[in-house]
Amino acid sequence: EMQLVESGGGLAQAGGSLRLSCAVSGLPFDDYHIGWFRQAPGKEREGVSCSTTDGRTYYADSLKDRFTISKDNARNTVYLRMNNLKPEDTARYYCSADPPKTGRGTIGPCYFGSWGQGTQVTVSS
């Protein structure tokens, strides 16, 4: 059974940093695109980042200078480092796992077809 477990969220000050983690199990980790999206109350889901099966990374244009996605294949874990946090980054953050398919994704080839329970990020000031 596929499981995606996000962690690492919390309260941060504007200008601070957080690193989110996503532990993946129940699927062939190396054969899936792993990504992140977020959703704030009253707003639509927003794609954040995507890490592909062949090591490419993609970001939302507004976030690419502040956020970094990385993978530890040995631990089946994906990370999202968020720097210079802003109040508008406040949202619940979800990681996703997507088997490659033909067609345009939301962020790079990630289409965010499945996700975990999410982790809350709140940025003050």
Side-chain angles (χ1 to χ4, degrees):
E1 178 179 316
M2 178 188 299
Q3 291 187 353
L4 303 169
V5 181
E6 300 93 334
S7 62
L11 180 64
Q13 296 181 344
S17 298
L18 287 172
R19 188 180 73 163
L20 308 183
S21 298
C22 175
V24 180
S25 62
L27 57 84
F29 182 82
D30 293 347
D31 295 333
Y32 279 68
H33 305 315
I34 312 296
W36 293 89
F37 68 89
R38 65 187 184 183
Q39 187 168 32
K43 298 183 179 179
E44 295 182 347
R45 299 195 318 171
E46 179 185 14
V48 171
S49 187
C50 177
S51 178
T52 73
T53 56
D54 58 358
R56 293 171 291 153
T57 58
Y58 299 84
Y59 301 89
D61 287 342
S62 62
L63 304 176
K64 61 183 179 181
D65 294 330
R66 299 189 294 116
F67 288 13
T68 303
I69 189 169
S70 61
K71 293 191 295 186
D72 185 339
N73 291 66
R75 292 177 168 80
N76 287 5
T77 301
V78 177
Y79 304 97
L80 183 70
R81 168 63 69 177
M82 305 183 294
N83 293 325
N84 192 23
L85 285 164
K86 303 177 180 180
E88 53 262 44
D89 295 321
T90 296
R92 193 162 188 87
Y93 285 70
Y94 301 84
C95 67
S96 66
D98 296 323
K101 70 176 186 179
T102 303
R104 183 173 296 177
T106 302
I107 301 292
C110 289
Y111 48 91
F112 307 119
S114 59
W115 55 90
Q117 86 285 355
T119 184
Q120 179 68 35
V121 172
T122 302
V123 183
S124 64
S125 189

